């Protein structure tokens, strides 16, 4: 290292840090419990845990409220949703909405993606041709989510085990019931592969 | 996270300083061997709590220098290590290096901290010392070998396997080498100890292994506590599949004799074994005891429920299994939560900002066979400066779905701690 480089580095070391830190977001620390499963800033790297980064605020709020009330059954998410609501659901959901989504790093099988693309016509009416959903109708963005998570949700819809009795999901469940079991993994792979 | 050019160069600058100070061997650690130039946090212990805290201080404020003292070169997860005993997973699958923590700009020194000098705000290391502005201590547990007669003298002939590592593999090998028809004895220490459901998950895994591979063998669980401490009904239900598992509550093991291959309980019963696993009684890691961070019981560290600052010494924050007083289990998930919270607190304090009031949460999975798991979740709030539980929820039954969730949890939380 030349002396000039060393001086340059020392000058940088001495420079004050003017940038605002993550603590400035009211939801940063309130979302600490979430990162154990959903990853830092909601960018899950796991096969089964959904990515929360960039998720529509209203959709995430409804999910947390449905988990907390027991309408959407989950022994893990019911207590954590109550905690998020206690801490301030707007701050928590707002924090994740403000994060940039990094799609799952788990690559989907190319043949399954191709089969899923063909089978995806049933999903387009609600989730759109790009799978990005429709925030105005609280329809979620499916792109880049881990395939195993998406497949599990389709199974829950088919068996009416996700939010049983929720009128908002009635039509979706009818569509999902028509999806053959051998297409579930293909659909999940396709939407997981979209960016 | 976006890393600015300034942050990157600053991190590199730290690297240059580290080479200068630590490039040589042990004698370099003399005097103040890494003079402090800005705000500095020293973290003692690179387990679930300490590694998380070190990473999250850097994420919260990259202008703070973070030095992590951890003698081990690899992080080995205790959660999931019971599955090594039944041969379902390898220890390698839960072993990680500290490389990605370095990527966050954490300076790691693979040496054990010698002692803490709270008044001088420094940590002794070899013949030298390190100054700190804030110290985060996450020393884990130490075993009270002296509570079981003959245990210290037994050395490696009686394994605890309660810190995942070589002993885990050695105990798995002993189980594999045992002849069919043998008797495995394991002891559970009195509360409080690391991972309340851990011994019962271990019992389930050993019973499953014996039932599957050595069907004429049996497992005797000698528990110092009157009943299963955690997820009681779910473990009892799971054990209906294991008639080879005999549970004896209120049977505290007080003596082990590896020559005669027997253990003796407080009641005076002597039980013969072919393979033994004694999980000894526990206290906070030795450095916490030596630094007078423990309470009158000389076992555990009492802390402020919001800041994790020791009630005995200012600017020293204690997290993880070595703490007592919060209504939380000594679990990896809680240590990870405390790591994040204490990091945010320390960052706020060093920047003169309001301290966040954040409670921890706990998720704890236990595998009861090769395919099925159970779980408990505890969530908390802060009420008048104290952590209180909002709710505890158990899975209704054991299932492969819970096991699948546990794999997702592990993948994510290992990344949160060390990724």
């Amino acid at each position: 290292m030349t002396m000039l480089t060393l001086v340059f580095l020392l000058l940088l070391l001495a420079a004050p840090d003017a940038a605002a830190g993550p603590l400035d977001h009211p939801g940063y620390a309130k979302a600490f419990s979430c990162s154990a499963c959903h990853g830092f800033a909601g960018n899950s790297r796991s096969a089964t845990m959904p990515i929360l980064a960039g998720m529509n605020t209203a959709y995430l709020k409804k999910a947390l409220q449905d988990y907390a009330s027991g309408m959407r059954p989950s022994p893990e998410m019911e207590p954590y949703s109550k905690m998020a609501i206690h801490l301030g659901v707007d701050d928590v959901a707002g924090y994740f909405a403000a994060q940039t989504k990094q799609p799952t790093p788990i690559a989907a099988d190319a043949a399954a993606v191709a089969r899923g693309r063909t089978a995806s016509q049933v999903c387009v009416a609600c989730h759109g041709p790009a799978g990005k959903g429709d925030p105005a109708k609280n329809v979620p963005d499916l792109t880049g989510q881990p395939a195993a998570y998406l497949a599990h949700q389709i199974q829950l819809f088919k068996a009416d085990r996700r939010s049983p009795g929720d009128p908002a999901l009635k039509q979706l469940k009818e569509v999902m019931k028509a999806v053959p079991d051998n297409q579930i993994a293909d659909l999940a792979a396709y939407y997981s592969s979209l960016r | 996270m976006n890393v600015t050019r300034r942050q990157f160069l600053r991190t590199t600058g730290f690297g240059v300083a580290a080479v200068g100070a630590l490039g040589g061997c042990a004698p370099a650690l003399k005097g103040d061997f890494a003079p402090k130039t800005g705000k500095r946090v020293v973290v003692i212990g690179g387990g679930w709590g300490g590694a998380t805290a070190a990473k999250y201080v850097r994420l919260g404020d990259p202008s703070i220098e973070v030095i992590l003292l951890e003698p081990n070169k690899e992080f080995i997860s205790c959660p999931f290590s019971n599955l090594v005993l039944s041969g379902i997973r390898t220890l390698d699958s839960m072993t990680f290096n500290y490389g990605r923590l370095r990527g966050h700009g954490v300076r790691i020194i693979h040496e054990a901290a010698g002692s803490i000098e709270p008044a001088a705000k420094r940590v002794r290391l070899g013949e030298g010392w390190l100054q700190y502005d804030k110290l985060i201590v996450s020393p884990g547990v130490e075993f009270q070998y002296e509570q079981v007669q003959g245990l210290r003298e037994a050395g490696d002939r009686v394994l605890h396997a309660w810190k995942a590592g070589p002993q885990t593999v050695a105990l798995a090998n002993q189980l594999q080498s045992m002849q069919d028809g043998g008797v495995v004895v394991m002891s559970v220490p009195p509360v409080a100890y690391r991972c309340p459901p851990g011994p019962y998950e271990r019992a389930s895994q050993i019973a499953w292994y014996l039932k599957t591979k050595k069907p004429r063998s049996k497992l005797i669980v000698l528990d110092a506590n009157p009943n299963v401490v955690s997820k009681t009904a779910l473990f009892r239900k799971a054990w209906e599949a294991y008639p080879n598992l005999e549970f004896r509550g209120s049977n505290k093991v007080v003596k082990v004799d590896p020559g005669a291959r027997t253990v003796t309980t407080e009641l005076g019963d002597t039980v013969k074994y072919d393979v033994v696993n004694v999980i000894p009684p526990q206290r906070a890691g030795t450095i916490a005891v030596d630094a007078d961070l423990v309470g009158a019981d000389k076992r555990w560290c009492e802390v402020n429920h919001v800041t994790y600052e020791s009630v005995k010494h200012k600017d020293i924050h204690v997290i993880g299994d070595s703490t007592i007083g919060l209504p939380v289990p000594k679990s990896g998930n809680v240590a990870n939560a405390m790591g994040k919270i204490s990091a945010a607190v320390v960052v706020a304090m060093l920047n003169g900002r309001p301290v966040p009031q954040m409670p921890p949460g706990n998720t704890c999975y236990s595998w009861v066979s090769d395919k099925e798991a159970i779980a408990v979740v505890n969530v908390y709030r802060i009420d008048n400066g104290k952590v209180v539980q909002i709710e505890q929820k158990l899975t209704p039954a054991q299932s492969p779905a819970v096991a699948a969730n546990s794999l997702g949890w592990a993948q994510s939380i290992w990344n949160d701690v060390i990724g």
Side-chain angles (χ1 to χ4, degrees):
Chain A
M1 185 187 309
T2 65
M3 185 55 78
L4 195 63
T5 318
L6 187 64
V7 168
F8 178 58
L9 281 174
L10 288 172
L11 281 172
L12 285 170
L13 280 168
D17 200 338
L23 275 176
D24 293 314
H25 197 290
Y28 170 70
K30 293 179 183 181
F32 274 169
S33 284
C34 314
S35 66
C37 286
H38 293 283
F40 181 71
N43 274 307
S44 163
R45 305 291 85 184
S46 118
T48 51
M49 302 295 180
I51 293 168
L52 306 181
M55 191 173 269
N56 176 258
T57 311
Y59 181 80
L60 184 51
K61 269 180 73 174
K62 178 175 172 6
L64 288 168
Q65 281 154 351
D66 288 354
Y67 278 130
S69 71
M71 175 185 249
R72 184 171 172 180
S74 165
E76 289 100 328
M77 279 310 301
E78 183 181 323
Y80 277 115
S81 297
K82 286 176 184 165
M83 188 176 175
I85 288 167
H86 182 81
L87 291 170
V89 71
D90 288 308
D91 287 342
V92 174
Y95 170 74
F96 286 116
Q99 307 307 310
T100 304
K101 180 165 79 174
Q102 294 167 13
T104 180
I106 303 166
D109 174 63
V113 169
R115 289 193 301 271
R117 182 181 295 116
T118 311
S120 68
Q121 292 314 310
V122 292
C123 313
V124 170
C126 294
H127 289 281
K132 296 284 184 191
D134 183 352
K137 292 180 181 164
N138 224 16
V139 176
D141 179 353
L142 305 177
T143 62
Q145 288 287 357
Y149 166 74
L150 293 175
H152 184 54
Q153 297 309 303
I154 298 173
Q155 284 157 351
L156 292 178
F157 284 130
K158 276 193 78 168
D160 195 17
R161 284 172 53 216
R162 175 164 159 178
S163 302
D166 184 347
L169 297 175
K170 195 164 180 293
Q171 189 192 350
L172 168 68
K173 285 173 184 172
E174 290 305 318
V175 174
M176 289 294 109
K177 274 178 194 160
V179 173
D181 282 347
N182 63 4
Q183 270 184 14
I184 292 176
D186 295 343
L187 283 172
Y190 171 61
Y191 282 105
S192 180
S193 76
L194 292 181
R195 295 294 179 261
Chain B
M1 195 184 94
N2 295 321
V3 178
T4 65
R5 182 176 147 80
R6 175 183 298 174
Q7 286 162 356
F8 174 77
L9 287 171
R10 185 182 285 134
T11 304
T12 313
F14 281 147
V16 171
V19 170
L22 303 169
C25 43
L29 304 180
K30 278 188 176 166
D32 187 355
F33 65 87
K36 197 165 76 64
T37 51
K39 290 173 283 190
R40 177 190 283 170
V41 174
V42 174
V43 181
I44 295 178
W48 287 69
T52 305
K55 171 178 163 179
Y56 271 80
V57 171
R58 295 283 306 163
L59 288 171
D61 182 352
S63 77
I64 297 174
E65 182 191 16
V66 177
I67 301 178
L68 172 63
L69 305 176
E70 167 53 55
N72 294 309
K73 295 266 169 64
E74 289 179 319
F75 171 98
I76 308 177
S77 173
C78 277
F80 275 76
S81 67
N82 281 330
L83 276 63
V84 176
L85 301 179
S86 49
I88 294 168
R89 287 190 73 128
T90 63
L91 200 65
D92 278 354
S93 74
M94 57 200 77
T95 301
F96 307 91
N97 66 40
Y98 285 92
R100 291 177 69 186
L101 224 49
R102 287 193 178 88
H104 289 288
V106 176
R107 275 180 65 180
I108 303 169
I109 301 175
H110 286 299
E111 291 202 33
S115 60
I116 302 166
E117 298 173 348
K121 292 177 75 166
R122 62 188 199 180
V123 178
R124 301 292 301 204
L125 198 67
E127 293 175 34
W129 68 80
L130 277 172
Q131 292 287 150
Y132 62 77
D133 295 299
K134 285 284 187 182
L135 180 65
I136 299 177
V137 185
S138 187
V141 296
E142 187 50 82
F143 299 120
Q144 296 177 300
Y145 291 105
E146 69 281 4
Q147 303 267 325
V148 180
Q149 192 188 332
L151 185 56
R152 196 182 292 279
E153 300 74 23
D156 284 350
R157 287 184 294 166
V158 176
L159 302 174
H160 55 74
W162 209 240
K163 292 182 180 179
Q167 286 217 2
T168 313
V169 176
L171 184 58
N173 289 340
Q174 287 186 10
L175 290 167
Q176 281 160 23
S177 306
M178 187 183 78
Q179 294 214 326
D180 193 8
V183 175
V184 181
V185 170
M186 65 171 282
S187 76
V188 185
V191 291
Y193 58 83
R194 164 177 284 177
C195 190
Y200 312 106
E201 178 185 60
R202 174 169 295 185
S204 306
Q205 288 301 307
I206 294 175
W208 174 84
Y209 172 76
L210 296 179
K211 183 183 171 183
T212 313
K213 309 282 173 151
K214 300 177 198 282
R216 293 188 295 114
S217 306
K218 69 185 276 190
L219 167 66
I220 300 172
V221 179
L222 301 172
D223 195 332
N225 307 289
N227 198 354
V228 172
V229 164
S230 171
K231 305 174 194 166
T232 310
L234 288 167
F235 276 116
R236 290 288 195 176
K237 180 76 183 159
W239 291 352
E240 288 176 9
Y242 303 127
N244 58 352
L245 190 165
E246 182 184 336
F247 179 83
R248 298 183 191 170
S250 303
N251 268 253
K252 184 180 179 185
V253 167
V254 293
K255 184 181 170 187
V256 61
D257 182 344
R261 300 182 87 83
T262 57
V263 296
T264 307
T265 70
E266 204 169 30
L267 307 167
D269 291 342
T270 297
V271 183
K272 204 156 168 40
Y273 65 77
D274 294 289
V275 171
V276 73
N277 172 214
V278 173
I279 305 171
Q282 294 152 34
R283 59 165 169 79
T286 299
I287 192 162
V289 178
D290 291 349
D292 184 37
L293 294 167
V294 292
D297 65 355
K298 299 289 177 198
R299 281 183 79 191
W300 306 110
C301 308
E302 201 182 323
V303 295
N304 180 295
H305 286 208
V306 175
T307 64
Y308 296 90
E309 196 165 28
S310 163
V311 298
K312 302 187 82 172
H313 293 292
K314 197 173 174 301
D315 295 319
I316 301 179
H317 300 251
V318 187
I319 57 172
D321 292 345
S322 64
T323 60
I324 198 82
L326 284 78
V328 300
K330 298 186 184 303
S331 75
N333 200 126
V334 164
N336 164 257
M338 289 178 173
K340 286 180 267 193
I341 299 163
S342 64
V345 164
V346 161
V347 168
M349 284 178 161
L350 289 177
N351 285 291
R353 300 174 61 148
V355 168
Q357 304 254 325
M358 217 45 59
N362 179 56
T363 311
C364 175
Y365 293 97
S366 304
W367 284 58
V368 294
S369 69
D370 61 328
K371 291 186 181 66
E372 296 187 311
I374 56 180
V376 65
V377 176
N378 309 78
V379 293
Y380 306 90
R381 62 187 160 85
I382 291 177
D383 197 357
N384 291 321
K386 294 287 179 192
V387 169
V388 293
Q389 184 167 282
I390 297 173
E391 183 175 70
Q392 169 170 286
K393 185 127 185 129
L394 290 147
T395 50
Q398 63 197 63
S399 72
V402 178
N405 286 352
S406 83
L407 294 173
W409 169 85
Q411 217 172 352
S412 292
I413 202 164
W414 287 335
N415 199 41
D416 204 31
V417 173
I418 195 97

